[in-house]
Amino acid sequence: MELKREYVNGMNEQGDFDPSSPPPFRIADIRAAIPKQCWIKNPWRSMSYVFRDVSVVFALAAAAVFCNNWLFWPIYWFAQGTMFWAVFVLGHDCGHGSFSDNAILNSVVGHILHSSVLVPYHGWRISHRTHHQNHGNVENDESWVPLPENIYKKLDTSTRLLRFTVPFPLFAFPVYLWYRSPGKEGSHFNPYSNLFSPQERKLVMISTACWSTMAIILAYVSFTVGPSHMFKLYGIPYLIFVIWLDLVTYLHHHGHEQKLPWYRGKEWSYLRGGLTTVDRDYGLFNNIHHDIGTHVIHHLFPQIPHYHLVEATKAAKPVIGKFYREPKKSGAVPFHLINNLITSLAQDHYVSNSGDIVFYRTDLNLFKLLSLAKSE
């Protein structure tokens, strides 16, 4: 039998803050605190970021071709992979409609940007919309959603180890695009996948065709310049981009020092789910990847342009109070987040099959299996 808990402003009977308590404010209160200018989308400003990022991408590629030495290649790989990630974030904004109020502009720019980094624009946009609409919901969330214990225990040993052992989860995104996550079916490329409604099938076909066109272009260029050179120019930066994407999206929903709740049924609401997201400070990369670390307000109000998120968050924090978790200040490079990632993957394995408020549990035997596998 579930005990009824009493809360006052998020505090339990012992006077401790409980992040799973019902917030004493409404989403309308947060919205009202955000200045009006934060909701304004400026397509010219949005396009300026596109021109900036695309110019840097081509400049880096030109520099790599010109230098073509092993002192420069590692610098190029990290820088270009980071720029691929920045380009993806702008395409992500197109998908939310925060890029501009013009749906055609959003779609055209989104297709160009996402196809360039081998992401099917509409396929991913639609599943990402599902993620935002159901954030924090064990049953309906889409991205890095926790596995119920019964599904977790059906996974074979190799799948469990790959899912929770660094660095393998950092290369999950391409697999997710094709097969989704354990316990879910469908593909971001298949218009008849259960990810999509019948009305969305044509959109998915268009995006899959754009993705295929980019894949053909890459294959042709690879044939022309040689696969080894193409792997250095595009392949390794693509893998760095995937690492960025998986690292950032995972840590926005995992790895906080305090265990955060996940919800089911009557306990879930859009506001409570959104408040389980976590802001992160990425140091000098904040501006490069368009303040994607300012994530709580983005999750609650994805229509706010990225260049207003910092201002909107500052205005909203007095309303959100202790339900907002101040990110740890980063140095120039966010090395501190590596510890958050490793700790979370070592502890956050599954949730209970029942209960409307659940927290991650740890499989104490998981890494014993890894030790055994290494010793064989």
Side-chain angles (χ1 to χ4, degrees):
M1 181 177 176
E2 195 173 302
L3 295 175
K4 185 176 180 181
R5 294 173 290 181
E6 297 294 334
Y7 300 96
V8 178
N9 293 329
M11 299 295 184
N12 60 22
E13 293 174 348
Q14 288 73 41
D16 300 319
F17 175 72
D18 185 343
S20 68
S21 61
F25 49 84
R26 303 166 302 155
I27 195 166
D29 300 325
I30 306 175
R31 183 188 294 272
I34 297 174
K36 290 182 179 179
Q37 66 266 23
C38 291
W39 304 90
I40 298 174
K41 307 164 193 175
N42 184 335
W44 294 106
R45 184 171 182 180
S46 296
M47 285 301 300
S48 73
Y49 290 107
V50 174
F51 291 133
R52 182 195 78 175
D53 289 0
V54 172
S55 297
V56 173
V57 166
F58 278 101
L60 285 170
V65 171
F66 177 77
C67 295
N68 193 22
N69 68 71
W70 287 103
L71 288 176
F72 185 74
W73 279 116
I75 298 170
Y76 167 78
W77 292 331
F78 181 77
Q80 191 71 295
T82 301
M83 292 312 302
F84 280 15
W85 164 235
V87 164
F88 171 86
V89 173
L90 292 177
H92 151 275
D93 289 355
C94 292
H96 279 303
S98 61
F99 189 85
S100 78
D101 286 320
N102 187 313
I104 295 176
L105 178 64
N106 293 339
S107 184
V108 170
V109 175
H111 272 96
I112 293 171
L113 297 179
H114 272 192
S115 298
S116 72
V117 290
L118 291 176
V119 176
Y121 173 70
H122 281 307
W124 185 84
R125 175 187 66 80
I126 293 166
S127 75
H128 189 63
R129 180 189 65 198
T130 301
H131 165 55
H132 270 259
Q133 291 173 342
N134 298 279
H135 44 211
N137 189 309
V138 174
E139 298 167 329
N140 300 319
D141 200 346
E142 177 62 28
S143 177
W144 293 114
V145 60
L147 297 177
E149 185 175 6
N150 61 332
I151 295 178
Y152 174 82
K153 290 188 172 179
K154 291 178 182 177
L155 299 178
D156 57 61
T157 301
S158 59
T159 300
R160 292 189 205 181
L161 291 174
L162 286 171
R163 186 176 173 90
F164 297 107
T165 305
V166 177
F168 302 112
L170 298 177
F171 297 97
F173 183 62
V175 179
Y176 166 72
L177 288 178
W178 284 100
Y179 303 107
R180 295 178 76 192
S181 302
K184 296 180 181 289
E185 297 178 350
S187 168
H188 290 76
F189 299 93
N190 182 0
Y192 294 92
S193 167
N194 57 14
L195 273 167
F196 314 119
S197 69
Q199 294 76 26
E200 293 167 334
R201 288 172 183 166
K202 185 179 291 186
L203 298 175
V204 176
M205 288 179 186
I206 293 171
S207 295
T208 299
C210 290
W211 184 95
S212 301
T213 301
M214 181 62 186
I216 292 169
I217 291 171
L218 290 173
Y220 174 78
V221 176
S222 179
F223 180 79
T224 304
V225 304
S228 175
H229 201 57
M230 191 62 181
F231 185 66
K232 290 189 292 184
L233 273 174
Y234 186 92
I236 297 179
Y238 173 78
L239 293 175
I240 299 297
F241 149 63
V242 168
I243 290 172
W244 266 116
L245 188 150
D246 282 322
L247 174 71
V248 170
T249 55
Y250 183 86
L251 288 177
H252 283 161
H253 301 277
H254 297 77
H256 192 262
E257 288 74 12
Q258 180 185 27
K259 288 278 188 180
L260 298 179
W262 288 79
Y263 300 102
R264 292 188 181 98
K266 59 182 175 56
E267 291 290 351
W268 181 85
S269 70
Y270 182 82
L271 175 59
R272 292 178 82 177
L275 292 174
T276 65
T277 59
V278 180
D279 277 12
R280 299 290 187 184
D281 182 7
Y282 296 95
L284 63 85
F285 298 98
N286 287 329
N287 179 263
I288 294 172
H289 64 200
H290 310 293
D291 289 314
I292 194 66
T294 313
H295 209 66
V296 177
I297 290 301
H298 166 67
H299 247 271
L300 292 172
F301 307 107
Q303 62 272 41
I304 294 179
H306 74 263
Y307 42 82
H308 291 318
L309 285 174
V310 172
E311 180 184 1
T313 298
K314 186 180 294 187
K317 283 198 294 186
V319 177
I320 300 175
K322 290 191 175 183
F323 288 88
Y324 178 79
R325 288 159 284 277
E326 197 73 40
K328 182 177 180 180
K329 192 68 178 173
S330 175
V333 179
F335 291 120
H336 68 286
L337 294 179
I338 297 174
N339 183 61
N340 292 90
L341 175 71
I342 294 173
T343 302
S344 177
L345 289 172
Q347 297 177 352
D348 300 336
H349 298 152
Y350 62 88
V351 296
S352 172
N353 295 327
S354 60
D356 287 349
I357 301 177
V358 294
F359 295 81
Y360 266 110
R361 296 181 178 181
T362 303
D363 178 359
L364 297 176
N365 295 316
L366 177 62
F367 293 101
K368 292 179 183 177
L369 295 173
L370 180 60
S371 299
L372 287 174
K374 286 181 176 179
S375 64
E376 289 179 357

